[in-house]
């Protein structure tokens, strides 16, 4: 993985975390993504594999939809989240 790809992965993880924690500062997923983005000691391949693992199975990153505090779907936030999630997957999928 090239350094600029790693930097982009970290940027996306932080933005996804921010979107998740905007409506819920205690978001488990938000904290998990933020923590992963902050792991500077991980080699690039370990980061790639850990991020790629977030996409599999039930309750994965693929299942997340953002909601407003009144329970309605946050369409704009969810659209941005979906776009970033797709970019993230492409980065970790193609960085082998």
């Amino acid at each position: 993985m090239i350094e600029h790809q790693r930097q982009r992965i970290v940027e996306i993880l932080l933005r996804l975390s921010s979107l998740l924690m905007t409506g819920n500062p205690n978001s488990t997923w938000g904290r998990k993504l933020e923590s992963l983005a902050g792991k500077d000691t991980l080699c690039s391949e370990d980061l790639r594999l850990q991020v790629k693992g977030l996409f599999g199975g039930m309750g994965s990153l693929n299942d997340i939809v953002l909601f407003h505090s009144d329970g309605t779907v946050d369409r704009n936030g969810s659209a941005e989240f979906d776009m970033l999630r797709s970019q993230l997957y492409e980065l970790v999928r193609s960085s082998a």
Side-chain angles (χ1 to χ4, degrees):
M1 175 186 316
I2 302 170
E3 183 59 29
H4 78 273
Q5 289 174 316
R6 181 188 175 93
Q7 288 175 328
R8 182 63 184 144
I9 288 170
V10 169
E11 289 170 6
I12 291 172
L13 288 170
L14 290 173
R15 180 61 186 147
L16 291 173
S17 174
S18 175
L19 286 167
L20 287 164
M21 294 198 295
T22 295
N24 178 6
N26 297 317
S27 167
T28 302
W29 268 108
R31 289 185 310 220
K32 183 175 190 169
L33 297 177
E34 183 178 55
S35 174
L36 190 54
K39 291 187 177 180
D40 295 333
T41 58
L42 280 179
C43 73
S44 294
E45 182 63 9
D46 287 345
L47 176 63
R48 185 185 78 77
L49 291 173
Q50 285 194 25
V51 171
K52 193 173 181 183
L54 300 174
F55 287 90
M58 291 176 52
S60 72
L61 197 60
N62 290 322
D63 296 333
I64 295 174
V65 176
L66 302 179
F67 291 89
H68 293 290
S69 59
D70 65 1
T72 60
V73 173
D74 178 353
R75 294 190 189 283
N76 293 332
S78 290
E80 181 181 358
F81 193 92
D82 186 51
M83 177 196 64
L84 291 168
R85 177 177 45 209
S86 295
Q87 288 177 15
L88 183 62
Y89 184 75
E90 287 305 312
L91 281 167
V92 297
R93 183 183 69 84
S94 63
S95 295

